Amino acid sequence: VVTPVNDAVVEGSETVTLNLTADATYTLGAVTSAEGTIVDNDFLLSLATAGTGSGTLGGSAAGVYSAGASITLSATPDAGSNFVGWSAGCSASFAMPASNLNCTATFTIASHTVTPSAGANGSLSPATPQSVSHGATTSFTVAPHAGFGIGTVGGCGGALVGSTYTTGAVLADCTVSATFADIAVPDTSLSSTPPTLSASSSATFGF
């Protein structure tokens, strides 16, 4: 009886030659073949990450496993990243196949929505919600209608420079709001001619 030993080393199929020796008081009979093939059942599991984001892998470690061994994997995205999924043949739990396997977890940078909100008598441009990558910024043009000026603009930790409002680093969904105010117009209806006093004007004083 020939019993293979599991040496936990990934190898290809091998052809072996067996030397046959008869025990004492026995003689070796005719041998037609002393060759056979031993197929290795240990396979390599490799782990990797990919994508624009980042994260941490857990569960079963990279290494050598026998076919059919139970494999568990976890992928935890870092702040500002999302876990997309595993490469083909890999999942949170599976049996090791009879072949080497590379499991790649893909992470992407998270995105957030910045929503513009303009009050009456003006606008923000762009006027539609903007998708912004985690940690990035975006800008809006603040445009009052004729006869109005910029009142207040705020939100998303930003600042107004001239007519451009730029957010701070966006770490969550947020809203940029703007209000607009009347521009004061001088009253030109009053006469510029100084008043005159008539000769019959009089005043009374008490002592």
Side-chain angles (χ1 to χ4, degrees):
V1 177
V2 177
T3 303
V5 176
N6 189 350
D7 59 4
V9 176
V10 177
E11 301 167 300
S13 299
E14 299 172 304
T15 299
V16 296
T17 300
L18 304 177
N19 294 318
L20 306 180
T21 304
D23 289 340
T25 73
Y26 287 87
T27 59
L28 189 64
V31 179
T32 57
S33 176
E35 290 189 356
T37 300
I38 296 178
V39 179
D40 190 53
N41 71 333
D42 292 316
F43 302 96
L44 181 63
L45 174 67
S46 301
L47 302 176
T49 60
T52 57
S54 61
T56 302
L57 304 184
S60 300
V64 177
Y65 295 89
S66 297
S70 178
I71 304 296
T72 58
L73 298 175
S74 65
T76 304
D78 293 335
S81 292
N82 292 323
F83 171 59
V84 177
W86 291 101
S87 53
C90 306
S91 63
S93 179
F94 62 95
M96 186 69 187
S99 61
N100 294 338
L101 181 64
N102 178 62
C103 289
T104 299
T106 299
F107 298 94
T108 58
I109 294 178
S111 61
H112 306 292
T113 300
V114 177
T115 303
S117 177
N121 305 309
S123 65
L124 288 171
S125 180
T128 56
Q130 301 298 297
S131 180
V132 182
S133 295
H134 184 84
T137 64
T138 191
S139 296
F140 295 90
T141 299
V142 187
H145 294 167
F148 293 85
I150 298 174
T152 60
V153 187
C156 304
L160 180 68
V161 178
S163 61
T164 299
Y165 186 84
T166 302
T167 68
V170 177
L171 306 178
D173 294 350
C174 59
T175 299
V176 171
S177 300
T179 63
F180 303 91
D182 288 322
I183 296 176
V185 178
D187 186 357
T188 58
S189 63
L190 298 177
S191 173
S192 59
T193 304
T196 58
L197 296 176
S198 64
S200 61
S201 299
S202 60
T204 303
F205 302 91
F207 295 94

